[in-house]
Amino acid sequence: MTLRLAMVGFGWAARSIWLPRLRRQPDLAVTTVVDPDAAARAAAKDDGVGTVLDRHDALSATDVDLAVVAVPNHAHCAVAAALLRRGIAVFLEKPVCLTETEAEELASAEKEGGAVLIAGSAARHRPDVRALGGLAADIGPIRHVRLDWVRASGVPGTGWFTRQDLSGGGALVDLGWHLLDVLLAVLGPVEFDDVVGTTGTDFVDRSSAQAAWKDAAATGAVADVEDTVRGFLVAADGTSVALHASWASHATRDTTVVELHGNAGTARLTCTFGFSPNRVADPVLTLARDGASDAVPFAAEPVGAEYDRQVAALAALLADPASRGRAVDDARWTVRLIERLYASARGRTSCAVA
């Protein structure tokens, strides 16, 4: 059986990340594109999409089996909830929601419409991240986790990404969501008693810090989100997490580091999440204990393979009853931490997010 897909939103991510991968799957067919922008609809027609619409409320569960929602962050919840209530399953890009209130709205919509919500959060599907997670039991209990994703020059232009009203936040919402999702995948839904965060805006308006590798149309709007966030989280049992996400820095490479510090060893992954070409050459996973450090092998994959893996799993996820509610549960946990980090950062320094 071939699933009929509608792409709701036909911007950079839809065209560059999702459409090519969806078309490579024999059990998926992109039959419809929805976008209010006339140029985007024209591009979809030129790309061979049969049905092009300007409103998502024109979609019907009789016409499509799944909607791939890739709209600006502020519209994620509203669009996904409307589709779910009409019985249309949704694959929703991260961030799944921007507040706990939105998470509850999605939960209600999924229940009312009887359709499933699937979250698109790629990093946990990387083979190196899975290999790292596999080491957790060997070195546990885990005492501390380090989560870093620091770009050299990767501010996503002056488009909607850097506008608070459209994005819901800066580096924390964009990069931090991935890091927290990896934490969730490795440790499960840990509850943190103490959450302290600080944000900075040293780079967000520098032209030299813009991401040359990502298409982002300039709007002339002044950026009003953070380019950097640092956080420290502590659970009741003493487990701690240090988080650092930056769109830009004084580094020479875009680097992601995830470390698990356990009572029996330390596992460290050094790589680059995402598509930036200014990346660490090859991911490296090491396990250190008793004064020795050894490389841990894992299957090498091309850049972006984690997105292919998500797309390949869509049909099975839609057919699995256990999928219902899972994305909302994960998003509720993640966005609660994001809200607490922002709440801590507000008023802490002059460069905190307003």
Side-chain angles (χ1 to χ4, degrees), residues 160-250:
W160 65 264
F161 261 104
T162 56
R163 287 181 51 184
Q164 176 74 30
D165 60 330
L166 299 181
S167 65
L172 177 55
V173 170
D174 184 27
L175 309 184
W177 187 286
H178 284 294
L179 293 174
L180 290 171
D181 191 62
V182 167
L183 178 66
L184 177 61
V186 172
L187 293 189
V190 177
E191 292 301 321
F192 294 98
D193 290 353
D194 299 305
V195 175
V196 177
T198 183
T199 57
T201 57
D202 289 336
F203 299 95
V204 71
D205 285 318
R206 294 187 191 181
S207 59
S208 61
Q210 305 303 301
W213 48 270
K214 182 172 181 179
D215 177 24
T219 63
V222 175
D224 60 354
V225 297
E226 81 286 351
D227 55 60
T228 299
V229 60
R230 293 176 177 87
F232 199 77
L233 299 73
V234 182
D237 65 357
T239 303
S240 60
V241 176
L243 180 145
H244 179 197
S246 293
W247 275 339
S249 66
H250 299 292

Side-chain angles (χ1 to χ4, degrees), residues 32-247:
T32 308
V33 161
V34 182
D35 199 296
D37 181 69
R41 295 196 302 274
K45 277 289 187 185
D46 291 343
D47 221 343
V49 178
T51 301
V52 177
L53 306 171
D54 61 356
R55 304 185 330 274
H56 64 80
D57 58 9
L59 287 176
S60 167
T62 61
D63 300 320
V64 297
D65 302 302
L66 175 70
V68 178
V69 175
V71 297
N73 294 353
H74 77 289
H76 278 195
C77 177
V79 172
L83 293 168
L84 289 167
R85 284 195 167 93
R86 294 206 300 277
I88 300 173
V90 171
F91 175 74
L92 180 60
E93 275 198 317
K94 66 86 195 169
V96 173
C97 54
L98 297 176
T99 64
E100 283 193 77
T101 300
E102 288 191 352
E104 299 312 320
E105 173 70 7
L106 289 169
S108 174
E110 190 179 38
K111 183 177 180 180
E112 290 176 26
V116 67
L117 174 67
I118 299 170
S121 194
R124 65 162 64 193
H125 298 284
R126 293 173 57 101
D128 48 11
V129 169
R130 290 182 169 184
L132 175 73
L135 296 174
D138 294 335
I139 64 172
I142 303 301
R143 307 302 192 195
H144 177 71
V145 179
R146 173 187 172 190
L147 300 168
D148 286 7
W149 186 354
V150 178
R151 290 176 178 168
S153 298
V155 177
T158 53
W160 65 264
F161 261 104
T162 56
R163 287 181 51 184
Q164 176 74 30
D165 60 330
L166 299 181
S167 65
L172 177 55
V173 170
D174 184 27
L175 309 184
W177 187 286
H178 284 294
L179 293 174
L180 290 171
D181 191 62
V182 167
L183 178 66
L184 177 61
V186 172
L187 293 189
V190 177
E191 292 301 321
F192 294 98
D193 290 353
D194 299 305
V195 175
V196 177
T198 183
T199 57
T201 57
D202 289 336
F203 299 95
V204 71
D205 285 318
R206 294 187 191 181
S207 59
S208 61
Q210 305 303 301
W213 48 270
K214 182 172 181 179
D215 177 24
T219 63
V222 175
D224 60 354
V225 297
E226 81 286 351
D227 55 60
T228 299
V229 60
R230 293 176 177 87
F232 199 77
L233 299 73
V234 182
D237 65 357
T239 303
S240 60
V241 176
L243 180 145
H244 179 197
S246 293
W247 275 339

